[in-house]
Amino acid sequence: GYATDNEQYETGICCVSAPYFDATGSVAGSVTVSAPTVRAAALHQIALPRALATAERISGLLAGAESRTRSA
């Protein structure tokens, strides 16, 4: 999943955000990209897929870190 902000917080700024999760499945944080609203199309077409992929990678790393801690 992801969240968007289209000038709801700050006029002239839009954002996309993708959560990442810890080993328990709880949200640990998010990857967020902000841009001027004139770049909203690029934000959704380019930055959103990258934010989602990055969040997924971080989730995997956090899950791996947790399993390494348990086996130590």
Side-chain angles (χ1 to χ4, degrees):
Y2 62 92
T4 62
D5 177 336
N6 188 17
E7 297 186 278
Q8 286 92 356
Y9 185 74
E10 183 74 33
T11 302
I13 301 294
C14 56
C15 311
V16 294
S17 184
Y20 55 86
F21 304 91
D22 64 18
T24 68
S26 296
V27 174
S30 67
V31 175
T32 303
V33 182
S34 302
T37 52
V38 297
R39 302 206 190 286
L43 185 70
H44 287 87
Q45 293 171 0
I46 298 168
L48 178 57
R50 290 180 182 181
L52 288 165
T54 301
E56 186 174 336
R57 183 160 186 226
I58 293 169
S59 294
L61 292 170
L62 290 176
E66 181 69 20
S67 66
R68 285 192 301 275
T69 301
R70 286 186 193 154
S71 64

